[in-house]
Amino acid sequence: MSVRGRSRDLGGDSGSAVVETTWLALLLLVPLLYVVLSVFEVQRSAYGASAAGRAAGRAYVQAPNPTVAERRALRAAQLVLEDHRIEIDTTDVRLRCAGGPCLSPGSSIVVTVTARAALPFIPDALGGARPAVRVDSTHTEPYG
C-alpha cells in the first residue's frame, strides 16, 4: 500500500478539526469570560465600598459638630459610590461613634458600607431580584 492509499482512508475526517476547535473554544471561553467579568464586577464594588468608607470617615472627623459631620460623611460616601458606578439604592452606609462621645478627643468613627455587586448580563425580565454578591467594608477613623 502506498502513502497515497493511506491518505484516502483518512479522507472522511478532513476539515472537522476547525469546527471542533471552534465549538470547544466557545464552550470553554464563554463561561470563563463570564466568570472573569463577574469577578471584576465584585472587585469594583468591594473597592468602591472600601473607598466610600474611608472618605466618609475622613469627612466626619473634619466637621465642626456631629450633625454636620453625619451629613458630610454620608455625602462623601455617596460621591465615591457614584464615582465607582455603584447604585446608591443598593448600598447602606452606617456611622457609629466608638471610644466616647462623637468628635471628642480619643473617640473614633466607625463607618460600615454594604453594597450589592449585581452579576452582569442577567436581565430583569427573568423575574425576581437580579443575582448579586454582597460586599461589606468597615473603616475606623480616629478623632484628634
Side-chain angles (χ1 to χ4, degrees), residues 52 56 72-83 86 88 93:
R72 284 185 184 178
L74 293 175
R75 182 65 182 145
Q78 181 183 15
L79 288 173
V80 172
L81 291 170
E82 287 173 359
D83 283 346
I86 298 173
I88 304 301
V93 179

Side-chain angles (χ1 to χ4, degrees), residues 25-59:
L26 284 174
L27 290 174
L28 293 177
L29 289 179
V30 169
L32 179 65
L33 180 64
Y34 183 78
V35 167
V36 168
L37 290 175
S38 297
V39 167
F40 287 162
E41 184 70 23
V42 171
Q43 180 63 31
R44 181 178 61 85
S45 295
Y47 181 73
S50 176
R54 196 170 43 252
R58 290 177 181 166

Side-chain angles (χ1 to χ4, degrees), residues 4-71:
R4 194 179 262 178
R6 281 191 232 157
S7 65
R8 286 186 195 150
D9 293 339
L10 301 175
D13 285 338
S14 66
S16 67
V18 173
V19 174
E20 291 171 1
T21 303
T22 302
W23 278 109
L24 186 62
L26 284 174
L27 290 174
L28 293 177
L29 289 179
V30 169
L32 179 65
L33 180 64
Y34 183 78
V35 167
V36 168
L37 290 175
S38 297
V39 167
F40 287 162
E41 184 70 23
V42 171
Q43 180 63 31
R44 181 178 61 85
S45 295
Y47 181 73
S50 176
R54 196 170 43 252
R58 290 177 181 166
Y60 193 97
V61 298
Q62 293 176 358
N65 61 52
T67 306
V68 173
E70 184 174 347
R71 276 198 322 258

